Structure formats: structure tokens, C-alpha cells
Amino acid sequence: YDRATRHFTLAWTSAQGATYAVLTSPTAAPSSFTTLVSGIASGGSQTTTTVTMPSGNAGFLRVQQQ
């Protein structure tokens, strides 16, 4: 995480040919997540992307296959 730019780099095990979304929420409640970015193409067996976090001091991220 880069505090100055609010950029957060995520890496996860992924499926070949899949597409992913990164969701964000100020709480860990499953119903509170909203899409931060979508349409992230799989990088093969591992995917890495960098997102810009919303304003605020804390939050949660979740990667979801679309």
C-alpha cells in the first residue's frame, strides 16, 4: 500500500481465461461491498492488479471472479 497515492497492489491465484472484480467496503459485512474495479483479465495462474483505495482511514477489499 502506498499511503501517498492510496494505491494498493493485490495478487491472487487465478483461473486461466477468467475475469475478476475488486470490491471494497468500509466494513467486513458481506452486503456492504461495492465494485471498485471490474473486468480484470486473468494473468494465468496468478493475477496482479493495482487499485486506488477510496478516501478514508480503513477499509476491506475482496476479489471476486465475474
Side-chain angles (χ1 to χ4, degrees):
Y1 178 70
D2 182 328
R3 181 176 251 177
T5 62
R6 296 192 337 260
H7 290 171
F8 197 104
T9 300
L10 300 157
W12 63 93
T13 302
S14 56
Q16 184 75 27
T19 303
Y20 296 89
V22 176
L23 295 89
T24 185
S25 173
T27 72
S31 63
S32 66
F33 280 85
T34 58
T35 302
L36 182 61
V37 64
S38 62
I40 302 166
S42 171
S45 61
Q46 183 174 13
T47 300
T48 302
T49 194
T50 300
V51 297
T52 302
M53 296 294 292
S55 298
N57 294 329
F60 295 85
L61 294 172
R62 181 170 72 188
V63 176
Q64 179 176 305
Q65 187 172 345
Q66 296 182 298

Coordinates of all heavy atoms in Angstrom, one line a residue:
Y1 N 0.8 -1.2 0.0 CA 0.0 0.0 0.0 C 0.9 1.2 0.0 O 1.8 1.3 0.8 CB -0.9 0.0 1.2 CG -1.8 1.2 1.3 CD1 -2.8 1.4 0.4 CD2 -1.6 2.2 2.3 CE1 -3.6 2.5 0.5 CE2 -2.4 3.3 2.4 CZ -3.4 3.5 1.5 OH -4.2 4.6 1.6
D2 N 0.6 2.2 -0.9 CA 1.3 3.5 -0.9 C 0.3 4.5 -0.4 O -0.6 4.9 -1.0 CB 1.7 3.8 -2.4 CG 2.5 5.1 -2.5 OD1 2.2 6.0 -1.7 OD2 3.3 5.1 -3.4
R3 N 0.6 5.0 0.8 CA -0.3 6.0 1.5 C -0.4 7.3 0.7 O -1.5 7.9 0.7 CB 0.3 6.2 2.9 CG -0.6 7.2 3.7 CD -0.1 7.3 5.1 NE -1.0 6.7 5.9 CZ -0.9 6.5 7.2 NH1 0.2 7.0 7.8 NH2 -1.9 5.9 7.9
A4 N 0.7 7.7 0.1 CA 0.6 9.0 -0.7 C -0.3 8.9 -1.8 O -1.0 9.9 -2.1 CB 2.0 9.3 -1.1
T5 N -0.4 7.8 -2.6 CA -1.2 7.7 -3.7 C -2.5 6.9 -3.5 O -3.4 6.9 -4.4 CB -0.5 7.0 -4.9 OG1 -0.1 5.7 -4.5 CG2 0.8 7.8 -5.3
R6 N -2.6 6.2 -2.3 CA -3.7 5.3 -2.0 C -3.8 4.1 -2.9 O -4.8 3.5 -3.1 CB -5.0 6.1 -1.9 CG -5.1 7.1 -0.8 CD -6.4 7.7 -0.6 NE -7.4 7.6 -1.6 CZ -7.8 8.6 -2.4 NH1 -7.2 9.7 -2.4 NH2 -8.7 8.4 -3.3
H7 N -2.6 3.8 -3.5 CA -2.6 2.6 -4.4 C -2.3 1.3 -3.6 O -1.4 1.3 -2.7 CB -1.5 2.7 -5.5 CG -1.8 3.8 -6.5 ND1 -0.9 4.2 -7.4 CD2 -3.0 4.5 -6.8 CE1 -1.5 5.1 -8.2 NE2 -2.7 5.3 -7.8
F8 N -3.1 0.3 -3.9 CA -3.0 -1.0 -3.2 C -2.8 -2.1 -4.3 O -3.6 -2.2 -5.2 CB -4.2 -1.2 -2.4 CG -4.1 -2.3 -1.3 CD1 -4.0 -1.9 0.0 CD2 -4.0 -3.6 -1.7 CE1 -3.8 -2.9 1.0 CE2 -3.9 -4.6 -0.7 CZ -3.8 -4.2 0.6
T9 N -1.7 -2.8 -4.2 CA -1.4 -3.9 -5.1 C -1.9 -5.2 -4.6 O -1.5 -5.6 -3.5 CB 0.0 -3.9 -5.5 OG1 0.4 -2.6 -6.1 CG2 0.3 -5.0 -6.5
L10 N -2.7 -5.9 -5.3 CA -3.2 -7.2 -5.0 C -2.7 -8.3 -5.9 O -2.6 -8.0 -7.1 CB -4.7 -7.2 -5.0 CG -5.5 -6.2 -4.2 CD1 -6.8 -5.9 -4.7 CD2 -5.6 -6.8 -2.8
A11 N -2.4 -9.5 -5.4 CA -2.1 -10.6 -6.2 C -2.8 -11.8 -5.7 O -3.0 -12.0 -4.5 CB -0.6 -10.9 -6.1
W12 N -3.4 -12.7 -6.6 CA -4.1 -13.8 -6.2 C -4.0 -15.0 -7.2 O -3.6 -14.7 -8.3 CB -5.6 -13.5 -6.0 CG -6.3 -13.0 -7.2 CD1 -7.0 -13.8 -8.1 CD2 -6.4 -11.7 -7.7 NE1 -7.5 -13.1 -9.1 CE2 -7.2 -11.8 -8.9 CE3 -5.9 -10.5 -7.3 CZ2 -7.4 -10.6 -9.7 CZ3 -6.2 -9.4 -8.1 CH2 -6.9 -9.4 -9.2
T13 N -4.2 -16.2 -6.7 CA -4.3 -17.3 -7.6 C -5.5 -17.2 -8.5 O -6.6 -17.0 -7.9 CB -4.3 -18.6 -6.8 OG1 -3.1 -18.6 -5.9 CG2 -4.3 -19.9 -7.6
S14 N -5.4 -17.4 -9.8 CA -6.5 -17.2 -10.7 C -6.6 -18.3 -11.6 O -5.7 -19.2 -11.8 CB -6.3 -15.8 -11.4 OG -5.1 -15.8 -12.1
A15 N -7.8 -18.3 -12.3 CA -8.1 -19.3 -13.3 C -7.8 -18.8 -14.7 O -8.1 -17.6 -15.0 CB -9.5 -19.7 -13.2
Q16 N -7.2 -19.6 -15.6 CA -6.9 -19.2 -16.9 C -8.2 -18.7 -17.6 O -9.2 -19.4 -17.6 CB -6.3 -20.4 -17.7 CG -5.8 -20.1 -19.1 CD -4.5 -19.2 -19.2 OE1 -3.7 -19.3 -18.3 NE2 -4.4 -18.5 -20.2
G17 N -8.2 -17.6 -18.3 CA -9.3 -17.1 -19.1 C -10.4 -16.5 -18.2 O -11.4 -16.0 -18.8
A18 N -10.3 -16.4 -16.9 CA -11.3 -15.8 -16.1 C -11.2 -14.3 -16.0 O -10.2 -13.7 -16.4 CB -11.2 -16.4 -14.7
T19 N -12.2 -13.6 -15.6 CA -12.3 -12.2 -15.4 C -12.6 -11.9 -13.9 O -13.5 -12.6 -13.4 CB -13.3 -11.5 -16.3 OG1 -13.0 -11.9 -17.7 CG2 -13.3 -10.0 -16.2
Y20 N -12.1 -10.9 -13.3 CA -12.2 -10.6 -11.9 C -12.6 -9.2 -11.7 O -12.5 -8.3 -12.5 CB -10.9 -10.9 -11.2 CG -10.5 -12.4 -11.2 CD1 -9.8 -12.9 -12.2 CD2 -11.0 -13.3 -10.3 CE1 -9.4 -14.2 -12.3 CE2 -10.7 -14.6 -10.3 CZ -9.9 -15.1 -11.4 OH -9.6 -16.4 -11.4
A21 N -13.2 -9.0 -10.5 CA -13.5 -7.6 -10.0 C -13.0 -7.5 -8.6 O -12.8 -8.5 -7.9 CB -15.1 -7.5 -9.9
V22 N -12.6 -6.3 -8.2 CA -12.2 -5.9 -6.9 C -13.3 -5.1 -6.3 O -13.7 -4.1 -6.8 CB -10.8 -5.2 -6.9 CG1 -10.5 -4.8 -5.4 CG2 -9.7 -6.0 -7.5
L23 N -13.8 -5.6 -5.1 CA -14.8 -4.9 -4.4 C -14.2 -4.3 -3.1 O -13.2 -4.8 -2.6 CB -15.9 -5.9 -4.0 CG -16.7 -6.5 -5.2 CD1 -16.0 -7.8 -5.7 CD2 -18.1 -6.8 -4.9
T24 N -14.9 -3.2 -2.6 CA -14.4 -2.5 -1.4 C -15.6 -2.3 -0.5 O -16.7 -2.2 -0.9 CB -13.7 -1.2 -1.8 OG1 -13.2 -0.6 -0.6 CG2 -14.7 -0.2 -2.5
S25 N -15.3 -2.1 0.8 CA -16.3 -1.8 1.8 C -15.6 -1.2 3.0 O -14.5 -1.6 3.4 CB -17.0 -3.1 2.2 OG -17.8 -2.9 3.3
P26 N -16.3 -0.3 3.7 CA -15.7 0.2 5.0 C -15.8 -0.8 6.1 O -15.2 -0.6 7.1 CB -16.5 1.5 5.2 CG -17.8 1.2 4.5 CD -17.5 0.4 3.3
T27 N -16.7 -1.8 6.0 CA -16.9 -2.8 7.0 C -16.7 -4.2 6.3 O -16.7 -4.3 5.1 CB -18.2 -2.8 7.7 OG1 -19.2 -3.2 6.7 CG2 -18.6 -1.4 8.1
A28 N -16.6 -5.2 7.1 CA -16.5 -6.6 6.6 C -17.8 -7.3 6.3 O -17.8 -8.4 5.9 CB -15.6 -7.4 7.6
A29 N -18.9 -6.6 6.5 CA -20.2 -7.1 6.3 C -20.4 -7.5 4.8 O -20.1 -6.6 3.9 CB -21.3 -6.2 6.7
P30 N -20.7 -8.7 4.5 CA -20.8 -9.1 3.0 C -21.7 -8.3 2.2 O -21.4 -8.0 1.0 CB -21.3 -10.6 3.1 CG -20.9 -11.1 4.5 CD -21.0 -9.8 5.4
S31 N -22.8 -7.8 2.7 CA -23.7 -7.0 2.0 C -23.3 -5.5 1.7 O -23.9 -4.8 0.9 CB -25.1 -6.9 2.7 OG -24.9 -6.3 3.9
S32 N -22.2 -5.1 2.3 CA -21.7 -3.7 2.2 C -20.7 -3.5 1.1 O -20.3 -2.4 0.9 CB -21.2 -3.2 3.5 OG -20.0 -3.9 3.9
F33 N -20.3 -4.6 0.4 CA -19.2 -4.4 -0.6 C -19.8 -3.9 -1.9 O -20.9 -4.2 -2.4 CB -18.6 -5.8 -0.9 CG -17.5 -6.2 0.1 CD1 -17.9 -6.8 1.3 CD2 -16.2 -5.9 -0.1 CE1 -17.0 -7.1 2.2 CE2 -15.2 -6.2 0.9 CZ -15.6 -6.8 2.0
T34 N -19.0 -2.9 -2.5 CA -19.4 -2.4 -3.8 C -18.2 -2.6 -4.8 O -17.0 -2.7 -4.3 CB -19.8 -0.9 -3.8 OG1 -18.7 -0.2 -3.2 CG2 -21.0 -0.7 -2.9
T35 N -18.4 -2.5 -6.1 CA -17.4 -2.7 -7.0 C -16.5 -1.5 -7.1 O -17.0 -0.4 -7.3 CB -18.0 -3.1 -8.4 OG1 -18.8 -4.2 -8.3 CG2 -16.9 -3.3 -9.4
L36 N -15.2 -1.8 -7.0 CA -14.2 -0.7 -7.1 C -13.7 -0.7 -8.6 O -13.5 0.3 -9.2 CB -13.0 -0.9 -6.1 CG -11.9 0.1 -6.1 CD1 -12.4 1.5 -5.7 CD2 -10.8 -0.4 -5.1
V37 N -13.4 -1.9 -9.1 CA -12.9 -2.0 -10.5 C -13.4 -3.4 -11.0 O -13.4 -4.4 -10.2 CB -11.4 -1.8 -10.6 CG1 -10.6 -2.9 -9.9 CG2 -11.0 -1.8 -12.1
S38 N -13.8 -3.5 -12.2 CA -14.2 -4.8 -12.8 C -13.5 -5.0 -14.1 O -12.8 -4.1 -14.6 CB -15.7 -4.9 -12.9 OG -16.1 -3.9 -13.8
G39 N -13.7 -6.2 -14.7 CA -13.1 -6.5 -16.0 C -11.6 -6.8 -16.0 O -10.9 -6.6 -17.0
I40 N -11.1 -7.2 -14.8 CA -9.7 -7.5 -14.7 C -9.4 -8.9 -15.3 O -9.9 -9.9 -14.8 CB -9.2 -7.5 -13.3 CG1 -9.5 -6.2 -12.6 CG2 -7.7 -7.9 -13.2 CD1 -9.4 -6.2 -11.1
A41 N -8.7 -9.0 -16.4 CA -8.4 -10.2 -17.1 C -7.4 -11.1 -16.3 O -6.5 -10.5 -15.7 CB -7.9 -10.0 -18.5
S42 N -7.6 -12.4 -16.3 CA -6.7 -13.3 -15.6 C -5.3 -13.2 -16.2 O -5.1 -13.0 -17.4 CB -7.2 -14.7 -15.8 OG -6.2 -15.6 -15.3
G43 N -4.3 -13.2 -15.4 CA -2.9 -13.3 -15.8 C -2.4 -14.7 -16.0 O -1.2 -14.9 -16.0
G44 N -3.3 -15.7 -15.9 CA -2.9 -17.1 -16.0 C -3.2 -17.7 -14.6 O -4.2 -17.5 -14.0
S45 N -2.2 -18.3 -14.1 CA -2.3 -19.0 -12.8 C -2.2 -18.0 -11.6 O -2.6 -18.3 -10.5 CB -1.3 -20.1 -12.6 OG 0.0 -19.5 -12.6
Q46 N -1.7 -16.8 -11.9 CA -1.7 -15.7 -10.9 C -2.0 -14.4 -11.6 O -1.5 -14.1 -12.7 CB -0.3 -15.6 -10.2 CG -0.3 -14.6 -9.1 CD 1.0 -14.5 -8.3 OE1 1.9 -15.1 -8.6 NE2 0.9 -13.9 -7.1
T47 N -2.8 -13.5 -10.9 CA -3.1 -12.2 -11.4 C -2.7 -11.2 -10.4 O -2.9 -11.4 -9.2 CB -4.6 -12.2 -11.7 OG1 -5.0 -13.1 -12.7 CG2 -5.1 -10.8 -12.2
T48 N -2.2 -10.1 -10.9 CA -1.8 -8.9 -10.1 C -2.5 -7.7 -10.6 O -2.4 -7.5 -11.8 CB -0.3 -8.8 -10.0 OG1 0.3 -10.0 -9.5 CG2 0.1 -7.6 -9.1
T49 N -3.0 -6.8 -9.8 CA -3.5 -5.5 -10.2 C -3.3 -4.5 -9.1 O -3.2 -4.9 -7.9 CB -5.0 -5.7 -10.6 OG1 -5.4 -4.5 -11.3 CG2 -5.9 -5.8 -9.4
T50 N -3.3 -3.3 -9.5 CA -3.2 -2.2 -8.5 C -4.5 -1.3 -8.6 O -4.9 -1.0 -9.7 CB -2.0 -1.3 -8.8 OG1 -0.8 -2.1 -8.7 CG2 -1.9 -0.2 -7.8
V51 N -5.1 -1.1 -7.4 CA -6.3 -0.3 -7.4 C -6.0 1.0 -6.5 O -5.1 1.0 -5.7 CB -7.5 -1.1 -6.8 CG1 -7.8 -2.2 -7.7 CG2 -7.2 -1.5 -5.4
T52 N -6.8 2.0 -6.7 CA -6.8 3.2 -5.9 C -7.9 3.1 -4.8 O -9.1 2.9 -5.2 CB -7.0 4.5 -6.7 OG1 -6.0 4.5 -7.7 CG2 -6.9 5.7 -5.8
M53 N -7.5 3.1 -3.6 CA -8.4 3.0 -2.5 C -9.3 4.2 -2.4 O -8.8 5.3 -2.6 CB -7.7 2.7 -1.2 CG -6.9 1.4 -1.1 SD -8.0 0.0 -1.2 CE -8.8 0.1 0.4
P54 N -10.5 4.1 -2.0 CA -11.4 5.2 -1.7 C -10.8 6.0 -0.5 O -10.0 5.5 0.3 CB -12.7 4.6 -1.3 CG -12.7 3.2 -1.7 CD -11.2 2.8 -1.8
S55 N -11.3 7.2 -0.4 CA -10.9 8.0 0.8 C -11.3 7.4 2.1 O -12.2 6.6 2.1 CB -11.5 9.4 0.7 OG -11.0 10.1 -0.4
G56 N -10.5 7.7 3.1 CA -10.9 7.1 4.5 C -9.6 6.4 5.1 O -8.6 6.2 4.4
N57 N -9.7 6.1 6.3 CA -8.6 5.6 7.0 C -8.5 4.0 7.0 O -7.5 3.5 7.4 CB -8.6 6.0 8.5 CG -8.3 7.5 8.6 OD1 -7.7 8.1 7.7 ND2 -8.9 8.2 9.5
A58 N -9.6 3.4 6.7 CA -9.7 1.9 6.8 C -10.7 1.4 5.8 O -11.6 2.1 5.3 CB -10.0 1.4 8.2
G59 N -10.5 0.1 5.4 CA -11.5 -0.5 4.5 C -11.0 -1.9 4.2 O -10.0 -2.4 4.6
F60 N -11.9 -2.6 3.5 CA -11.7 -4.0 3.2 C -11.8 -4.2 1.7 O -12.5 -3.4 1.0 CB -12.8 -4.9 3.8 CG -12.7 -4.9 5.3 CD1 -13.3 -3.9 6.1 CD2 -12.0 -5.9 6.0 CE1 -13.2 -3.9 7.5 CE2 -11.9 -5.9 7.4 CZ -12.5 -4.9 8.1
L61 N -11.0 -5.1 1.1 CA -11.0 -5.4 -0.3 C -11.4 -6.9 -0.5 O -11.0 -7.7 0.4 CB -9.7 -5.1 -0.9 CG -9.3 -3.7 -1.0 CD1 -7.8 -3.6 -1.5 CD2 -10.2 -2.9 -1.9
R62 N -12.0 -7.2 -1.6 CA -12.4 -8.6 -1.9 C -12.2 -8.8 -3.4 O -12.7 -7.9 -4.2 CB -13.8 -8.9 -1.4 CG -14.2 -10.3 -1.7 CD -15.6 -10.6 -1.0 NE -16.6 -9.9 -1.7 CZ -17.9 -9.9 -1.3 NH1 -18.2 -10.4 -0.1 NH2 -18.8 -9.3 -1.9
V63 N -11.6 -9.9 -3.8 CA -11.5 -10.2 -5.2 C -12.6 -11.2 -5.5 O -12.7 -12.2 -4.8 CB -10.1 -10.8 -5.6 CG1 -10.1 -11.2 -7.0 CG2 -9.0 -9.7 -5.3
Q64 N -13.3 -11.0 -6.6 CA -14.4 -11.9 -7.0 C -14.3 -12.2 -8.4 O -14.1 -11.3 -9.3 CB -15.7 -11.2 -6.7 CG -17.0 -11.9 -7.0 CD -18.2 -11.1 -6.6 OE1 -18.3 -10.8 -5.4 NE2 -19.1 -10.9 -7.5
Q65 N -14.5 -13.5 -8.8 CA -14.5 -13.9 -10.2 C -15.8 -13.5 -10.8 O -16.9 -13.7 -10.1 CB -14.3 -15.4 -10.3 CG -14.1 -15.9 -11.7 CD -13.7 -17.3 -11.8 OE1 -13.3 -17.9 -10.9 NE2 -13.9 -17.9 -13.0
Q66 N -15.8 -12.9 -11.9 CA -17.0 -12.5 -12.6 C -17.6 -13.6 -13.5 O -17.0 -14.5 -13.9 CB -16.8 -11.2 -13.4 CG -16.4 -10.1 -12.6 CD -16.2 -8.8 -13.4 OE1 -15.3 -8.8 -14.3 NE2 -16.9 -7.8 -13.1

